[in-house]
Amino acid sequence: MANVNATSGKARRAEVAGGGFAGLTAAIALRQAGWDVRLHEKGPELRAFGAGIYLWYNGLRVLEGLGALDEVLEGSHTPPTYETWMHNKSVSKETFNGLPWRIMTRRHLHNALVNRAHAVGVEIRTGSEAVAAEADGKLTLQTGEVLEADLIVGADGVGSKVRDSLGFKQDRWISTDGIIRLIVPRMKKELGHGEWDNTIDMWNHWPRVQRILYSPCNKDELYLGLMAPAADPRGSAVPIDLEVWVEMFPFLEPCLIEAAKLKTARYDKYETTKLDSWTRGKVALVGDAAHAMCPALAQGAGCSMVNAFSLSQDLAENSSVEDALTAWEQRIRPITDRCQAISGDYAANRSLSKGNMFTPAALEAARYDPLRRVFSWPQ
Ligand SMILES: Cc1cc2nc3c(=O)[nH]c(=O)nc-3n(C[C@H](O)[C@H](O)[C@H](O)COP(=O)(O)OP(=O)(O)OC[C@H]3O[C@@H](n4cnc5c(N)ncnc54)[C@H](O)[C@@H]3O)c2cc1C
């Protein structure tokens, strides 16, 4: 049995650092495969950060594999089309040939994963910060406690201490554009006539670069992404500068008034991280710890979840953890690398503003089914 420790004869143990989408996915998948799993979250509670999120077929299939899909589908939304506007005129409407995709609040997705982690028996420690790992399977906590395990998963986000303690070679860079992400009430009636159930990616290049990604999450909640260059003090101001946003997007005024009331809003730039390797001995890095990417293709979490889920598959197929991790990275990483490259290029060149940019190559990661290990979906 691949999930039993050869020396102790007991179930193999995994220590997972980080309770975001990647860490929760890894923990649930390993637990479902028969591992004893403990997840460490440095925050005082498990909770989602950020506003809304797009999941594509790849992420939805992971949720199916985890047994969390039904809970996520309830209370999330698939828009009829993904529309792109330039200077308030529609330039494209895409339906991705029926490829499944979904928008939801981050809280909704996170809650479903936390509920599933509890249901399958993942042990969760909050207020538990990982500070270092060793390749032979040790995880050191901030308290000084050292835990030994068959597998350590570093899912502690873009600032990963697990990663940095192991000295991976890394390239990291930050974008020139950034975004303010908010959840506001839907207010369809107040917006008046329009196809307000669509995703609408509204771009303006002149007189200033400003973009709003309008994303309905469900019947009550709307996710707004307000993008502006970091060099623009008014576009990047938080709480949002109502005047500067209403001037460019007057038809969204009712929603923008609500957005301006949110005093805790943040302006975030996009970080990219590229490592020489995602593994070191018995340590695997998943999620933003391994491959933070620009959000142009909305695939950071999707790829994170696929990679975290796929890890449990390679571990089930190899009795050596080290061999499994090597096989896993070779098998799954190229999809993420290609997605990260296109997403970075699109973000740097603001390519999505042209419309019709969801080419087959751009949708490659989205089309991947980690359960059947093919790039297609039932039509
Ligand atoms: C503007 C923007 C929009 C995006 N939109 C999308 C989208 O629509 N679709 C999509 O798929 N992706 C999207 N992404 C990417 C996505 O948000 C990330 O890729 C994803 O959240 C990464 O998940 P994670 O679990 O790896 O990291 P995180 O979400 O950062 O989670 C890490 C967790 O670990 C905890 N932690 C940190 N350090 C420690 C430690 N030392 N010990 C223990 N715990 C620790 C943190 O508190 C946190 O809970 C977007 C990103 C950005 C910036």
Side-chain angles (χ1 to χ4, degrees):
M1 286 281 286
N3 63 353
V4 170
N5 180 300
T7 319
S8 68
K10 290 190 187 157
R12 293 199 286 186
R13 165 162 283 282
E15 302 285 349
V16 178
F21 301 130
L24 284 164
T25 300
I28 299 165
L30 288 166
R31 183 72 197 121
Q32 288 186 158
W35 287 65
D36 277 341
V37 184
R38 184 159 43 196
L39 180 143
H40 302 267
E41 166 54 48
K42 79 169 179 187
E45 57 186 354
L46 283 175
R47 78 178 186 92
F49 297 91
I53 191 156
Y54 286 64
L55 279 192
W56 299 80
Y57 182 58
N58 57 338
L60 297 172
R61 284 293 278 165
V62 171
L63 292 172
E64 195 165 350
L66 299 178
L69 183 62
D70 289 347
E71 188 175 340
V72 168
L73 292 183
E74 177 97 11
S76 59
H77 173 70
T78 301
T81 66
Y82 186 113
E83 199 171 349
T84 303
W85 290 2
M86 173 53 85
H87 297 139
N88 301 336
K89 288 212 173 59
S90 184
V91 291
S92 71
K93 280 188 172 185
E94 305 196 41
T95 52
F96 315 116
N97 293 318
L99 178 72
W101 60 296
R102 203 96 182 144
I103 308 176
M104 62 209 71
T105 65
R106 285 182 180 246
R107 187 193 63 247
H108 183 66
L109 174 60
H110 197 260
N111 282 349
L113 290 172
V114 170
N115 289 344
R116 191 64 192 149
H118 284 303
V120 299
V122 172
E123 183 188 337
I124 293 171
R125 271 200 203 174
T126 51
S128 183
E129 182 177 359
V131 291
E134 287 169 47
D136 61 355
K138 292 195 187 73
L139 183 71
T140 304
L141 303 180
Q142 205 264 336
T143 54
E145 188 181 2
V146 180
L147 304 166
E148 288 191 41
D150 299 284
L151 170 71
I152 306 294
V153 180
D156 47 344
V158 67
S160 173
K161 291 195 171 167
V162 170
R163 176 195 64 215
D164 292 348
S165 70
L166 286 162
F168 287 95
K169 196 164 157 251
Q170 48 184 298
D171 284 336
R172 294 178 68 176
W173 61 95
I174 293 186
S175 59
T176 48
D177 291 340
I179 193 160
I180 304 163
R181 292 172 284 171
L182 308 148
I183 298 286
V184 296
R186 277 296 298 273
M187 312 184 83
K188 248 168 84 171
K189 244 199 282 149
E190 290 83 344
L191 292 182
H193 181 69
E195 292 179 83
W196 299 116
D197 286 339
N198 287 347
T199 276
I200 313 178
D201 194 359
M202 306 165 176
W203 286 84
N204 277 277
H205 283 172
W206 183 90
R208 291 180 303 274
V209 174
Q210 269 175 269
R211 168 195 184 195
I212 292 187
L213 183 62
Y214 169 99
S215 314
C217 293
N218 53 46
K219 66 180 179 36
D220 301 317
E221 294 169 297
L222 173 68
Y223 165 35
L224 290 180
L226 277 56
M227 193 206 89
D232 172 359
R234 291 192 71 185
S236 59
V238 282
I240 69 160
D241 180 330
L242 188 58
E243 190 185 57
V244 91
W245 288 100
V246 170
E247 186 188 354
M248 206 75 92
F249 304 95
F251 43 85
L252 285 185
E253 185 170 7
C255 301
L256 291 167
I257 289 173
E258 292 302 312
K261 291 180 189 162
L262 299 173
K263 304 296 174 212
T264 54
R266 264 183 15 196
Y267 175 85
D268 293 308
K269 293 202 265 177
Y270 321 136
E271 292 193 60
T272 301
T273 308
K274 206 161 168 63
L275 304 181
D276 57 343
S277 169
W278 291 355
T279 74
R280 185 69 52 84
K282 294 181 177 179
V283 182
L285 300 176
V286 294
D288 280 3
H291 52 71
M293 66 174 81
C294 289
L297 296 178
Q299 267 298 341
C303 286
S304 300
M305 291 167 67
V306 165
N307 298 339
F309 180 83
S310 304
L311 184 60
S312 69
Q313 295 173 324
D314 288 282
L315 285 159
E317 289 160 16
N318 282 278
S319 49
S320 150
V321 168
E322 290 89 336
D323 290 351
L325 298 195
T326 306
W328 164 72
E329 181 171 355
Q330 272 173 7
R331 177 170 80 85
I332 212 73
R333 177 168 177 164
I335 308 168
T336 299
D337 281 349
R338 289 191 288 268
C339 183
Q340 188 187 43
I342 297 177
S343 222
D345 179 59
Y346 277 16
N349 295 301
R350 301 177 184 141
S351 306
L352 287 174
S353 63
K354 295 182 210 152
N356 286 321
M357 292 305 286
F358 288 97
T359 61
L363 285 177
E364 184 202 28
R367 281 186 282 119
Y368 182 64
D369 177 349
L371 306 186
R372 292 182 299 131
R373 306 187 193 187
V374 294
F375 291 89
S376 64
W377 66 98
Q379 308 225 24

